[in-house]
C-alpha cells in the first residue's frame, strides 16, 4: 500500500473531484459519511455521549458532516467549533450551514476565554480540529483543550490524523497533539503512524477507502510504501515439482564466538526454515559440537581458533552469506572480515558485530558489494551513521548513507523500516514479543535464506522482514508477548508462509 505525502493527498483529492465531476464538498461528504458508518456499525444507536470537536478548515468540515449524520440518526451529539482563527474554509462554511438546518442544537463556538466542556470517561471524543495541512503549533488554549480531552479518559477517535501532528516532522510539544485511541485515515496511512516519535499519538489506525481516483493511486510514485501480505504474495516464488535442494541455494552463516554459538544456531535454523536448500555454519572450533548436536540438518566448518573466528576460508560456493551474529570484535576477527570483504563478491547480509566493525572501520564500507543488506538495531545504527535529533532526521541520514554506499538498510523496530536509497518500506507485521534475545539473529537468517533462494536483495529483505514479523504474530497468539522466544518464531515461519494464501477476514480487509 502506498503511503502518500501531504502534497500527494491534495493532488489526489483535486484529480478525483475533476475526473469524477464532483465538488470538493461532495468528496468531503463522501469521506465523512464513511466515518459515520464506521461509528454507526459499532454503536448501533447506543445513547453514548459523543463530543465532536471541529476546527475551521476542511478537517473541521469533516467533523460537521459527521455530526449532522449522527444527529439525524438520533445519537447524543455535542458539536464544538474550536475557534482558533477568523478564517474558514469554503467547505467548512457550507457544512456549517447544513448542520444548522439539521438541528436546533447548533455547534457551540469554543473561544480562548470559554470554559472547557465537561467530558465523562464513558463518552466518545471525535477529533476534527486540525488536518494534514497543519503548519504551526497549536495556540496555548487549544493545547489546554487537547490536554483536557486526554485527561477525560474518554475514547478518542481522530479524523484522518490526530490534531497537532504534522505529516513531515515531529511536533514541538506533545501537549499540542491529540492522543487518539483510534485514527480513521482517508485512503492511505500516514508515515507518522509508524515512527517511534510520532506513532505514539494513535494507538491504532485504519484506512477508509473514500474513492480517490484509482488511476492516480496506481500511477503516483511515493517515497514510502506499507508492506503487507498482498505485496508479498505478489512476489512469492512457487516451487517446481521437479526442483531439488540445489534449486534453492546454499546459505552460509558466518559468526559465533565463545558463549555466543546460539546466535549462529538460530540464524542457521532460520535460513533453512525460510527455504534455503542447504545450510552451512562457519564457526570457531567451540561451536562444532553444539551445532552438530542441536541442528542435524546443518553442515559445519570450523575456524582454526577455538574461541573466535580468525580466518574465513571455505571451498563451498554459497548462494548467500549471513555474517556477524555472535561473532565478536576480536582484532583477528576484524582482519579476517576485511580479507573476506576484499575477496567475496556475492550476496551478503551483515548484522550485529559485523555492523559494529563497519562502524569502527569506515574504510570497510567501500569494500561492500552493491545492495549488501545491513540489519542494525538502534544503537548499532547510531554507531554507523551518527546520532539524530528525531525520526525524520534519522530517515534522512539513513537514506543518504544508503545512497552513498548503495546499501539496503533495515531499521529494526516496532514498525521495521527498510531503506534503499531514497525509498522507504514500512513493515506491517510484528509485535512487542520480538523484543527478545535472538530475534535479530533469526531475522538475519531468514533474509539470508530468502537471498539463497534467488529473490533479489530488496525483495529478499522485504519478504524476510515480513515473514519474520508474521511468524511472531502467529506464535504470540498462543503465548503472549512475554513468553515469545526467537526459537518459537522460527517454528512459526511455516505458518507465516501458509498465511499468505489464507483469505483475509473483515478486519484485515479494512486494514488493507
Amino acid at each position: 500500500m502506498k503511503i502518500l505525502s501531504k502534497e500527494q493527498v491534495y493532488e489526489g483529492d483535486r484529480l478525483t473531484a475533476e475526473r469524477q465531476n464532483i465538488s470538493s464538498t461532495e468528496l468531503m461528504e463522501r469521506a465523512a459519511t464513511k466515518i459515520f458508518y464506521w461509528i454507526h456499525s459499532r454503536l448501533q444507536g447506543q445513547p453514548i455521549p459523543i463530543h465532536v470537536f471541529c476546527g475551521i478548515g476542511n478537517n473541521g468540515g469533516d467533523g460537521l458532516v459527521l455530526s449532522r449524520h449522527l444527529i439525524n440518526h438520533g445519537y447524543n451529539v455535542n458539536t464544538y467549533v474550536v475557534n482558533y482563527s477568523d478564517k474558514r474554509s469554503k467547505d467548512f462554511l457550507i457544512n456549517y450551514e447544513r448542520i444548522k438546518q439539521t438541528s436546533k442544537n447548533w455547534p457551540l463556538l469554543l473561544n480562548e476565554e470559554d470554559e472547557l466542556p465537561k467530558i465523562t470517561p464513558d463518552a466518545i471524543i471525535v477529533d476534527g480540529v486540525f488536518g494534514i495541512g497543519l503548519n504551526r503549533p497549536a495556540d496555548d488554549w487549544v493545547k489546554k483543550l487537547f490536554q483536557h480531552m486526554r485527561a477525560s479518559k474518554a475514547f478518542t477517535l481522530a479524523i484522518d490524523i490526530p490534531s497537532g501532528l504534522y505529516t513531515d516532522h515531529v511536533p514541538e510539544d506533545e501537549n499540542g497533539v491529540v492522543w487518539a485511541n483510534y485514527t480513521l485515515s482517508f485512503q492511505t496511512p500516514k508515515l507518522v503512524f509508524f515512527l517511534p516519535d510520532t506513532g505514539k499519538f494513535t494507538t491504532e489506525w485504519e484506512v477508509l477507502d473514500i474513492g480517490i481516483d484509482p488511476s492516480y493511486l496506481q500511477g503516483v510514485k511515493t517515497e514510502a510504501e506499507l508492506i503487507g501480505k498482498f505485496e508479498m504474495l505478489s512476489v512469492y516464488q512457487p516451487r517446481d515439482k521437479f526442483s531439488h535442494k540445489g534449486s534453492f541455494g546454499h546459505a552460509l552463516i558466518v559468526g559465533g564466538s565463545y558463549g555466543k554459538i546460539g546466535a549462529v544456531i538460530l540464524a542457521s535454523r532460520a535460513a533453512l526454515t525460510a527455504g534455503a536448500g542447504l545450510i552451512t555454519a562457519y564457526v570457531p572450533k567451540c561451536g562444532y559440537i553444539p551445532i552438530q548436536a542441536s541442528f542435524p540438518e546443518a553442515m559445519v566448518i570450523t575456524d582454526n581458533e577455538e574461541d573466535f573466528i580468525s580466518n574465513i576460508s571455505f571451498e563451498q560456493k554459497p548462494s548467500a552469506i549471513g555474517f556477524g551474529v555472535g561473532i565478536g570484535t576480536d582484532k583477528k576477527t576484524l582482519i579476517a572480515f576485511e580479507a573476506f570483504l576484499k575477496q567475496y563478491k556475492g550476496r551478503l547480509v551483515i548484522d550485529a558485530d559485523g555492523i559494529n566493525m563497519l562502524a569502527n572501520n569506515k574504510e570497510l564500507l567501500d569494500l561492500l558489494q552493491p545492495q549488501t543488506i545491513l540489519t542494525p538495531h538502534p544503537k548499532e545504527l547510531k554507531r554507523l551513521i551518527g546520532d539524530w535529533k528525531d525520526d525524520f532526521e534519522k530517515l534522512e541520514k539513513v537514506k543518504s548513507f544508503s545512497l552513498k554506499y548503495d546499501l539496503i538498510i533495515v531499521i529494526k523496530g516496532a514498525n521495521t523500516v527498510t531503506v534503499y536509497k531514497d525509498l522507504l518500506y514500512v513493515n506491517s507485521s510484528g509485535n512487542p514479543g520480538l523484543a527478545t534475545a535472538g530475534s535479530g539473529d533469526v531475522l538475519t537468517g531468514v533474509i539470508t535464506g530468502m537471498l539463497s533462494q534467488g529473490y533479489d536483495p530488496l525483495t529478499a529483505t522485504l519478504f524476510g522482514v515480513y515473514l519474520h514479523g508474521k511468524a511472531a504474530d502467529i506464535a504470540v497468539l498462543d503465548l503472549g508477548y512475554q513468553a515469545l522466544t526467537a526459537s518459537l518464531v522460527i517454528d512459526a515461519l511455516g505458518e507465516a508462509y501458509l498465511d499468505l494464501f489464507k483469505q483475509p477476514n473483515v478486519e484485515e480487509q479494512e486494514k488493507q
Side-chain angles (χ1 to χ4, degrees), residues 353-382:
D353 278 327
I355 294 173
N356 290 329
M357 285 189 279
L358 291 174
N360 293 328
N361 303 272
K362 294 289 179 29
E363 67 277 5
L364 297 182
L365 291 167
D366 294 319
L367 300 177
L368 299 179
Q369 295 298 301
Q371 297 187 49
T372 293
I373 302 159
L374 307 186
T375 60
H377 62 53
K379 287 186 178 179
E380 292 164 351
L381 183 62
K382 284 186 178 181

Side-chain angles (χ1 to χ4, degrees), residues 193-197 199 226-227 351 374-381 388 391 394-395 398 409-419 425-436 439-440 443 447 461 464-466 468-470 472-473 484:
F193 296 168
F194 307 104
L195 306 178
D197 287 342
L226 182 64
I227 302 300
D351 185 30
L374 307 186
T375 60
H377 62 53
K379 287 186 178 179
E380 292 164 351
L381 183 62
W388 52 81
D391 289 330
K394 174 177 67 177
L395 290 176
V398 174
I409 313 296
V410 179
I411 306 175
K412 293 188 283 195
N415 293 107
T416 292
V417 179
T418 299
V419 180
Y425 302 89
V426 181
N427 186 50
S428 64
S429 64
N431 61 73
L434 284 169
T436 188
S439 67
L443 178 61
I447 296 174
T461 305
V465 169
Y466 174 77
H468 178 258
K470 190 62 183 181
D473 290 341
L484 186 65

Side-chain angles (χ1 to χ4, degrees), residues 127 156-158 161-162 178-183 200-204:
D127 161 37
T156 301
L157 175 70
I161 190 171
V178 169
W179 292 68
N181 299 94
Y182 214 99
T183 298
K200 62 187 177 182
F201 294 110
T202 183
T203 306
E204 295 185 72

Side-chain angles (χ1 to χ4, degrees), residues 29-39 184 208-210:
E29 183 77 21
R30 180 195 295 177
T33 301
K34 286 272 189 175
I35 297 176
F36 163 73
Y37 282 121
W38 188 94
I39 294 173
L184 295 177
L208 295 182
D209 183 352
I210 62 170

Side-chain angles (χ1 to χ4, degrees), residues 76 106 259:
N76 179 14
W106 289 5

Side-chain angles (χ1 to χ4, degrees), residues 212-389:
I212 296 300
D213 182 70
S215 61
Y216 172 73
L217 292 175
Q218 184 176 0
V220 66
K221 295 185 181 300
T222 60
E223 175 194 36
E225 184 175 354
L226 182 64
I227 302 300
K229 175 191 291 192
F230 300 103
E231 287 78 15
M232 292 299 91
L233 183 58
S234 68
V235 300
Y236 170 79
Q237 298 176 4
R239 298 205 162 184
D240 184 79
K241 176 180 178 180
F242 299 102
S243 58
H244 52 85
K245 63 184 178 183
S247 304
F248 309 113
H250 186 168
L252 175 66
I253 300 297
V254 180
S257 56
Y258 184 80
K260 295 181 179 178
I261 299 302
V264 181
I265 295 172
L266 289 170
S268 299
R269 283 189 60 219
L272 193 65
T273 308
L278 296 161
I279 181 68
T280 295
Y282 191 105
V283 292
K285 286 182 179 179
C286 66
Y288 180 76
I289 292 177
I291 295 177
Q292 292 280 260
S294 65
F295 187 25
E297 294 89 348
M299 295 176 283
V300 183
I301 304 173
T302 59
D303 192 90
N304 292 327
E305 291 288 342
E306 179 73 22
D307 296 340
F308 57 87
I309 286 176
S310 64
N311 178 42
I312 304 168
S313 177
F314 46 84
E315 295 180 358
Q316 292 88 344
K317 294 182 179 180
S319 309
I321 294 178
F323 180 93
V325 295
I327 203 167
T329 55
D330 188 275
K331 288 183 179 180
K332 290 185 178 180
T333 303
L334 174 60
I335 293 170
F337 184 35
E338 181 175 4
F340 165 74
L341 291 178
K342 286 180 178 178
Q343 60 85 26
Y344 180 67
K345 306 303 179 184
R347 296 176 164 197
L348 179 63
V349 184
I350 301 178
D351 185 30
D353 278 327
I355 294 173
N356 290 329
M357 285 189 279
L358 291 174
N360 293 328
N361 303 272
K362 294 289 179 29
E363 67 277 5
L364 297 182
L365 291 167
D366 294 319
L367 300 177
L368 299 179
Q369 295 298 301
Q371 297 187 49
T372 293
I373 302 159
L374 307 186
T375 60
H377 62 53
K379 287 186 178 179
E380 292 164 351
L381 183 62
K382 284 186 178 181
R383 296 182 192 120
L384 197 63
I385 67 171
D387 207 349
W388 52 81
K389 65 179 181 181

Side-chain angles (χ1 to χ4, degrees), residues 171-189:
E172 297 84 349
D173 180 3
E174 67 178 28
N175 289 321
V177 184
V178 169
W179 292 68
N181 299 94
Y182 214 99
T183 298
L184 295 177
S185 185
F186 294 142
Q187 202 65 53
T188 176

